[in-house]
Amino acid sequence: MTDLAQSSAGLAAPAGHADPAGAPARAFADPSEVGVARAAALFEHLQPQQAAEMLAPVLAANPGSAGAWILMARVRLALDQVEPALDAATRAVDLVPDDPRPLGIASRALTLLGRHDEAMSMAYRAVVVEPKNPLWHDRVAWALLAADRQLADAEQAARTAIGLDPNEAHYYFTHGVALAALGHVDQARQALLTSLRLEPGNPVAKHRLDVLNGDALPVVEKKKRGWKLFGRKDDNKPVRPEEFRP
């Protein structure tokens, strides 16, 4: 499954990097790529603050680096710095308007800021740019769910994501949330059970299922730490977008 780290040329650390702060293993045409690659490695090693600190001088020296802005947007979201994340994503959108990644990040940040119309617009733009990527259909679903609008469209977007990647647990979770919002409780329960079958032990999906079954109360919070936007591989778990809406 493609995520931001996998689909972002120049954001992954070069092959052979054992130390994320070590010297690059290959030559870079652009010196700023060294800093971006090292920052990406720090981010993948769960050190977002250090990644941000490394990216800051890179962007000061080369504000035209779209890859650096995309990575900075991801890092700022991981640090719960939503407005700086939106600023970084917007700068990247201006530089590469046909790249869906900053559109998706901007959509997520706008949702967190409660700017739902803009969040939906950005999500749909990402789908237009890359219609075969399930991440953007999932983002559309969550933008609509967060806005509590066009819930049937949110359910359709979630189904589209499943059709594009039927082995990703998160998309069944999204579908379950959308079905529950439409009042289709039995179907929502089945979607969540499928999500848990694909990824046993997912606490977010389990809690949602417990709520549907009347065994738990909804938790009022915007997001749950540990489920990051366009998450990274960890303990052989599949990557996923972070979305949590009680």
Side-chain angles (χ1 to χ4, degrees), residues 173 192 195-196 199 202-210 244:
F173 171 72
L192 292 172
S195 179
L196 285 166
E199 190 175 12
N202 180 331
V204 181
K206 185 178 185 305
H207 178 266
R208 177 73 65 163
L209 183 60
D210 288 343
F244 181 62

Side-chain angles (χ1 to χ4, degrees), residues 22 28 38 42 99 112 117 127 144 157 176 209 223 238:
F28 290 87
R38 289 176 174 173
L42 286 166
D99 190 324
L112 290 172
D117 289 332
V127 167
L144 295 172
L209 183 60
K223 55 192 285 190

Side-chain angles (χ1 to χ4, degrees), residues 65-125:
S65 174
W69 284 117
I70 291 170
L71 180 57
M72 180 63 92
R74 295 183 65 207
V75 168
R76 293 300 184 194
L77 271 184
L79 293 169
D80 294 330
Q81 298 170 359
V82 181
E83 290 189 3
L86 177 59
D87 178 67
T90 300
R91 289 174 180 266
V93 169
D94 290 341
L95 291 166
V96 283
D98 292 328
D99 190 324
R101 296 169 298 157
L103 294 168
I105 300 170
S107 175
R108 177 60 176 152
L110 287 162
T111 289
L112 290 172
L113 292 170
R115 293 163 58 178
H116 297 300
D117 289 332
E118 296 167 89
M120 290 184 287
S121 176
M122 286 288 191
Y124 277 117
R125 283 177 62 185

Side-chain angles (χ1 to χ4, degrees), residues 10-92:
L11 292 191
H17 265 239
D19 179 359
R26 62 177 176 84
F28 290 87
D30 183 346
S32 68
E33 292 182 11
V34 177
V36 175
R38 289 176 174 173
L42 286 166
F43 185 53
E44 295 304 318
H45 283 77
L46 308 180
Q47 300 178 62
Q49 184 59 52
Q50 293 90 327
E53 292 168 0
M54 182 163 287
L55 278 173
V58 172
L59 286 167
N62 186 10
S65 174
W69 284 117
I70 291 170
L71 180 57
M72 180 63 92
R74 295 183 65 207
V75 168
R76 293 300 184 194
L77 271 184
L79 293 169
D80 294 330
Q81 298 170 359
V82 181
E83 290 189 3
L86 177 59
D87 178 67
T90 300
R91 289 174 180 266

